Amino acid sequence: MAKNLIAKTGHLTRFILRLDSIKIPLWLVGLTFFTLIVPPAFVGLFDSQQERDAMAETMANPAMTAMVGPGDLGNYTIGAMTAHQMLLMTAVVAGLMGILLVCRHTRADEEDGRVEMVRSLPVGRLAYLNATIITLVFASIALAAINAFGLYALGIESMDFEGSLLYGIALGATTLFFGGVAAVFAQLSDSSRGTTGYSIAILLVAYLFRAITDVSYEALSWISPLAWVTKAEVYSTNNWWPILLMIGASIVLFIIANYLNSIRDLESGFLPAKPGKRYASAFLQSPTGLALRLQRTGIISWAIGMYVLGASYGSVFGDLESFFEGNEMLGQMLNGDDDVSLVEQFIPMLMIVISLLATIPPIMAINKLRGEEKKGRLDHLLGRAVSRTHLMGSYLAISVVNGFVMLSLAAIGLWSAGAAVMEEGLQFGMIYGAAMAYYPAMLVMIGIVVFMIGFIPKATSFIWLYVLYSFFVLYLGGLFQFSEWIGKISPFGHVPQAPIEEFTWGPLIVLSALAIVLMIVGFIGFNKRDIESS
Amino acid sequence: MSLLQVTNLTKKFGKFTALDGVNLEVNSGEIFGFIGPNGAGKSTTIRVLLGILKATEGEVKIFGKDAWNDAVEIHKRVAYVPGDVNLWPNLTGGEVIDLFVKLRGGNNKSKREELIKKFDLDPTKKCRTYSKGNRQKVALIAAFSSDADLYILDEPTSGLDPLMEKIFQECVIEVKKEGKSVLLSSHILSEVEKLCDRVGIIREGRIIESGSLTELRHLTRTQMLVQTKEPVNLKELKGIHEIEETEQGLSFQVDTEELDNAIKHISQFGVLKLESSPPTLEDLFMRHYEGTEKAHDTGVGGGK
């Protein structure tokens, strides 16, 4: 009987591995890449123990602990530093990989009717689930092995073999655990969206719970599986128990998933699917309302993200002096000037990062118009009494307001956290002004997208290359000593770098005017061209 | 009175000519059937009518207004059902219906409920979970709950089961009774035959035939089955096709204009049994495509 339930699991495992023969390696390469480039960079940046201790001091604040977890700050070697700053974040991404992998081959395949076809063949009822789990195990082992050997192969003194192995296995175990969470939710929820949604929610709750308890009452943080990753104390005490606990918990989850799968019907779930709304709210019944509704979740997530980003930058302001003391390389990235404080020197560089990141959500908001066109859904609106100007105007308005809100939230986050940790406080006007100075440049980027949607719709996604270029040139420009015109190709290169540069209105007015012209021309183009069919 | 008038419409996509001098007319209070194989240009024509595509040449007038420049004004009186109904996966059917009705202007709540019941749609489900037929129902309910003067329906029944198809036909007949006009593009010839006053056949971007069904029937052949006392010789007659000896008798097709001669000729041989089936649109349709390559697939054409 039991054998019948899992008949042909091996065949299906090979099949799933083949289906994922590109996706899994891409995830592995991406995750490993970020793990392996960081330690050598740390070696370059923090040459002496003195510099590393300065870094440890900067990291010793609640905001940092909340973000990356506790670390071995007393003995801050390159290894301890890597484990402290990188391991938890990488583990979250590894967990995400597990969730997506499992969801893809459980509930998503079931929802699309593929599992039904497989079930009609002489395979066991639990075979597909277990083939997915075996694939997950393979992916986790591969992740663990590549990272462990990769880190050890870097040959950095403080990164011994045992620590590297534990680092790798911690990542693999996280993939396994959250894959297990997704396997259970694939049985409970009756849609693939629900499965991914609930699983990612668990991942986020685990992270947040860990963040709160790590700061307030560390013993409680044992409840969150993500805290087990930091409790392994990789490259310092190398504690294996939390990771073994994680693997054990994963196995329990797999057993629960199998049990639930065996007692339910195909395409049913245990969580009740709640019926949706019978009527549209008054809010939804306009092009703007619809556009906003479609982007709601994304906008809210970005808004929270921007505030947290600003706040986490602000939280290091208190220890900035000690951090930069004697670190030549980082000093080079700032424009050295003794008249202004280090914080003020640091702000322009932060603002470039913040403003470019804050440009992503408004660009996504305006790009959505193009996305809707490609999916053939604009016909529904344009086939009714909605003009093209009205339609594009709705998306543009959302994008423009979105950008303003994102930039403001990041600035408010930066100021509120900064003011809290700095003894002498921080002027809100200075921070907010420095951020808002980038708003016209952001409008130019939005204007370019409007223009492209109007005239060269197929090229719309090239805007991301321009954003990437701006980031690369302006953020790293100081380090590589690029000549000035390379930065001026980006609208962000024309923004006066308050507070170190004198604030001038000229470039901002020119940028705003350029943005408006681009938008107007884009509207004309959109009003003249064919709407593509799906 | 003509409600919709297309004169010499040409649409090019780069070098490709999708529509080549299309002429069409839909009169007030009539149902016009628009038929043709996939990729012939049905959907392209309809998208030009709606001002979603811009005509390269020619004139398109609806309610006497220009389809491109006055699109918004025109659309206040038009209800449209696209061939491929793509909806927003995270909205419910009910929400989409309300949105569509509202965007067109006007509101008819009781009609909405009645149609939801008739079409047997669960409006509380997310569009993600809807099958093709259910998505079409959403578009149809939204269209028929609005008080439009012209209904433009692009292969609206391609995903519906026969029962729902019948309900759809009732809806069309009802709006016709109210004096509204319908442009119905379709594959399903029996449906066009049942509903339409006039038809236009499009092929490779040209209207090759248009007129009332009676007008077009002269182009078709009648299917005959005869049993006679003496063997009939049909070889010398004009307009006889597909002669076949069967157990029931001699089966053949005859051109409508040669029908009289054929009957006269056959009657000389002592008719025992005579069966004839009327020319169907199917025959008419097939005759126009005889010799050309078969239509590619059965889905709705999205071809440009």
Side-chain angles (χ1 to χ4, degrees):
Chain A
M1 179 62 194
K3 215 175 170 189
N4 276 338
L5 282 174
I6 55 163
K8 293 265 163 60
T9 302
H11 278 90
L12 288 172
T13 307
R14 254 172 283 154
F15 172 65
I16 293 176
L17 281 171
R18 227 182 73 193
L19 287 178
D20 274 0
S21 64
I22 308 248
K23 271 193 192 129
I24 293 177
L26 272 181
W27 273 96
L28 295 182
V29 167
L31 275 166
T32 312
F33 177 77
F34 279 103
T35 305
L36 295 187
I37 58 161
V38 168
F42 279 168
V43 170
L45 282 167
F46 308 98
D47 222 4
S48 66
Q49 191 56 44
Q50 190 195 347
E51 282 172 342
R52 289 194 287 271
D53 287 341
M55 185 64 187
E57 213 170 298
T58 314
M59 299 298 285
N61 67 65
M64 274 299 154
T65 306
M67 236 165 81
V68 300
D72 188 5
L73 297 175
N75 183 22
Y76 216 45
T77 59
I78 293 288
M81 200 177 207
T82 308
H84 180 212
Q85 296 188 24
M86 290 299 296
L87 181 55
L88 180 65
M89 290 297 188
T90 318
V92 169
V93 182
L96 188 66
M97 169 177 113
I99 290 173
L100 295 179
L101 189 157
V102 168
C103 180
R104 192 158 63 231
H105 295 298
T106 50
R107 191 48 85 163
D109 272 349
E110 189 171 331
E111 193 175 65
D112 293 340
R114 289 187 286 266
V115 170
E116 186 176 331
M117 294 214 306
V118 170
R119 280 263 192 105
S120 70
L121 303 170
V123 303
R125 229 177 308 147
L126 296 175
Y128 207 74
L129 173 65
N130 284 299
T132 307
I133 292 174
I134 293 171
T135 308
L136 176 74
V137 171
F138 280 152
S140 305
I141 291 174
L143 181 70
I146 298 171
N147 277 282
F149 292 110
L151 283 168
Y152 184 60
L154 290 174
I156 292 166
E157 200 199 333
S158 55
M159 300 171 78
D160 55 355
F161 183 71
E162 194 195 347
S164 302
L165 195 62
L166 184 56
Y167 193 110
I169 292 178
L171 288 181
T174 315
T175 306
L176 208 60
F177 179 83
F178 284 98
V181 169
V184 171
F185 276 115
Q187 317 309 320
L188 295 177
S189 164
D190 69 348
S191 72
S192 67
R193 198 181 150 91
T195 305
T196 345
Y198 287 124
S199 308
I200 291 178
I202 293 286
L203 181 69
L204 289 180
V205 167
Y207 181 81
L208 287 176
F209 186 82
R210 193 223 95 256
I212 295 163
T213 49
D214 271 352
V215 172
S216 53
Y217 187 66
E218 224 190 306
L220 255 186
S221 70
W222 275 99
I223 295 172
S224 163
L226 274 180
W228 303 344
V229 173
T230 55
K231 294 200 189 303
E233 300 184 355
V234 177
Y235 292 127
S236 42
T237 61
N238 286 337
N239 186 0
W240 285 84
W241 287 111
I243 301 307
L244 294 179
L245 176 64
M246 191 117 149
I247 295 171
S250 310
I251 293 168
V252 172
L253 287 171
F254 297 151
I255 293 168
I256 295 173
N258 266 291
Y259 172 70
L260 291 176
N261 196 335
S262 70
I263 59 166
R264 75 177 172 95
D265 287 339
L266 192 70
E267 273 160 38
S268 69
F270 292 97
L271 298 174
K274 65 169 196 270
K277 291 194 178 116
R278 179 172 283 268
Y279 301 100
S281 61
F283 169 77
L284 178 60
Q285 299 180 24
S286 73
T288 317
L290 173 68
L292 210 50
R293 167 72 189 274
L294 295 175
Q295 306 176 51
R296 190 173 57 189
T297 319
I299 291 175
I300 295 172
S301 323
W302 270 98
I304 296 171
M306 286 315 295
Y307 181 84
V308 170
L309 178 80
S312 55
Y313 273 132
S315 68
V316 303
F317 278 2
D319 306 293
L320 214 54
E321 304 281 344
S322 58
F323 179 58
F324 279 100
E325 223 156 69
N327 196 322
E328 227 176 273
M329 200 167 168
L330 281 172
Q332 211 180 355
M333 289 174 81
L334 305 175
N335 303 347
D337 190 340
D338 292 336
D339 292 344
V340 284
S341 76
L342 207 48
V343 167
E344 288 181 342
Q345 286 184 45
F346 194 41
I347 285 171
M349 199 172 89
L350 286 186
M351 283 305 166
I352 288 176
V353 180
I354 285 177
S355 63
L356 276 162
L357 281 173
T359 304
I360 294 173
I363 289 183
M364 283 166 67
I366 187 78
N367 266 347
K368 181 85 182 161
L369 176 65
R370 172 70 185 148
E372 288 288 296
E373 176 181 359
K374 278 199 278 192
K375 293 202 172 100
R377 297 198 286 241
L378 289 191
D379 289 21
H380 294 304
L381 308 187
L382 294 176
R384 294 183 167 79
V386 176
S387 72
R388 294 183 183 210
T389 307
H390 185 174
L391 184 62
M392 193 180 225
S394 302
Y395 279 90
L396 179 60
I398 290 171
S399 169
V400 165
V401 174
N402 178 319
F404 183 81
V405 170
M406 296 298 164
L407 208 49
S408 299
L409 282 173
I412 292 167
L414 185 66
W415 170 79
S416 53
V421 296
M422 281 169 78
E423 280 160 28
E424 64 270 37
L426 198 58
Q427 248 192 313
F428 178 72
M430 186 264 284
I431 296 285
Y432 197 67
M436 277 304 139
Y438 282 93
Y439 189 52
M442 185 191 274
L443 290 181
V444 172
M445 298 305 256
I446 298 171
I448 292 171
V449 181
V450 173
F451 174 82
M452 289 202 285
I453 293 176
F455 286 95
I456 36 170
K458 287 195 169 66
T460 309
S461 35
F462 279 102
I463 190 70
W464 296 119
L465 282 181
Y466 197 36
V467 173
L468 207 66
Y469 171 87
S470 302
F471 183 80
F472 185 70
V473 159
L474 295 170
Y475 182 61
L476 301 173
L479 195 63
F480 293 124
Q481 313 281 333
F482 287 139
S483 36
E484 206 170 298
W485 65 270
I486 293 180
K488 295 283 184 203
I489 293 178
S490 163
F492 292 86
H494 294 268
V495 178
Q497 304 204 332
I500 35 168
E501 276 181 23
E502 205 178 325
F503 185 81
T504 45
W505 281 101
L508 301 189
I509 293 170
V510 173
L511 286 174
S512 307
L514 178 65
I516 291 169
V517 169
L518 281 166
M519 288 171 192
I520 292 173
V521 175
F523 269 85
I524 294 172
F526 190 63
N527 266 296
K528 279 190 167 164
R529 73 172 175 87
D530 289 344
I531 299 297
E532 258 176 46
S533 61
S534 51
Chain B
M1 200 195 87
S2 103
L3 214 63
L4 181 158
Q5 184 138 31
V6 177
T7 326
N8 207 20
L9 168 65
T10 299
K11 176 66 196 173
K12 289 181 182 167
F13 294 106
K15 278 182 186 162
F16 174 69
T17 306
L19 298 177
D20 188 3
V22 167
N23 290 298
L24 264 188
E25 200 178 353
V26 177
N27 296 318
S28 191
E30 90 177 350
I31 303 178
F32 184 85
F34 194 35
I35 53 180
N38 292 319
K42 293 188 303 279
S43 296
T44 306
T45 308
I46 286 176
R47 285 161 63 85
V48 174
L49 293 181
L50 287 163
I52 288 167
L53 298 180
K54 190 173 187 174
T56 313
E57 266 170 59
E59 200 185 51
V60 181
K61 295 261 182 202
I62 301 177
F63 311 128
K65 295 187 181 112
D66 186 81
W68 177 262
N69 291 321
D70 304 318
V72 176
E73 273 311 301
I74 292 171
H75 294 173
K76 287 180 183 161
R77 299 169 59 193
V78 167
Y80 166 54
V81 175
D84 240 337
V85 186
N86 291 313
L87 300 175
W88 298 273
N90 45 346
L91 299 188
T92 64
E95 284 178 313
V96 172
I97 292 170
D98 283 353
L99 172 72
F100 283 178
V101 171
K102 180 78 183 186
L103 288 182
R104 212 191 58 83
N107 210 345
N108 197 336
K109 275 263 146 61
S110 61
K111 194 90 174 272
R112 173 197 192 269
E113 297 307 319
E114 183 198 321
L115 285 165
I116 285 177
K117 219 169 172 187
K118 255 188 173 174
F119 278 107
D120 193 22
L121 178 84
D122 182 352
T124 63
K125 281 210 167 134
K126 300 271 180 184
C127 293
R128 176 182 316 112
T129 64
Y130 284 151
S131 63
K132 182 183 165 140
N134 275 332
R135 292 200 304 271
Q136 240 158 5
K137 286 182 193 174
V138 169
L140 285 168
I141 292 168
F144 286 115
S145 33
S146 25
D147 283 317
D149 291 319
L150 174 64
Y151 293 79
I152 298 180
L153 315 171
D154 190 0
E155 302 201 5
T157 55
S158 49
L160 298 186
D161 61 39
L163 209 70
M164 290 302 144
E165 225 178 289
K166 198 161 166 280
I167 289 167
F168 162 75
Q169 289 168 2
E170 285 168 21
C171 286
V172 172
I173 289 166
E174 199 175 311
V175 297
K176 192 199 160 152
K177 269 189 204 147
E178 290 164 11
K180 313 294 174 64
S181 311
V182 180
L183 175 73
L184 173 66
S185 127
S186 185
H187 258 127
I188 302 163
L189 299 163
S190 60
E191 181 176 277
V192 173
E193 245 183 330
K194 209 177 291 173
L195 295 172
C196 297
D197 304 304
R198 289 194 313 126
V199 294
I201 302 175
I202 187 167
R203 181 183 160 196
E204 286 169 7
R206 289 165 197 266
I207 297 284
I208 46 171
E209 215 58 75
S210 77
S212 70
L213 284 175
T214 358
E215 274 165 17
L216 291 188
R217 287 244 157 82
H218 77 275
L219 294 168
T220 60
R221 300 164 184 169
T222 306
Q223 176 74 43
M224 305 283 274
L225 180 74
V226 293
Q227 235 178 6
T228 45
K229 284 181 194 148
E230 298 156 44
V232 195
N233 187 1
L234 291 171
K235 294 261 159 65
E236 291 138 35
L237 279 180
K238 278 198 295 178
I240 305 287
H241 312 267
E242 319 246 339
I243 305 166
E244 206 181 328
E245 288 278 4
T246 68
E247 274 175 38
Q248 288 89 30
L250 188 68
S251 150
F252 59 91
Q253 290 179 355
V254 52
D255 286 348
T256 309
E257 56 265 43
E258 295 297 326
L259 195 57
D260 191 37
N261 286 337
I263 297 291
K264 277 181 188 152
H265 178 76
I266 294 163
S267 60
Q268 301 164 23
F269 300 92
V271 177
L272 294 173
K273 177 173 140 191
L274 177 73
E275 282 176 15
S276 79
S277 17
T280 61
L281 204 51
E282 199 93 48
D283 301 321
L284 188 150
F285 196 69
M286 294 317 283
R287 248 185 93 180
H288 275 291
Y289 296 110
E290 246 168 36
T292 64
E293 55 187 321
K294 275 181 104 181
H296 328 286
D297 60 337
T298 48
V300 175
K304 298 200 235 181

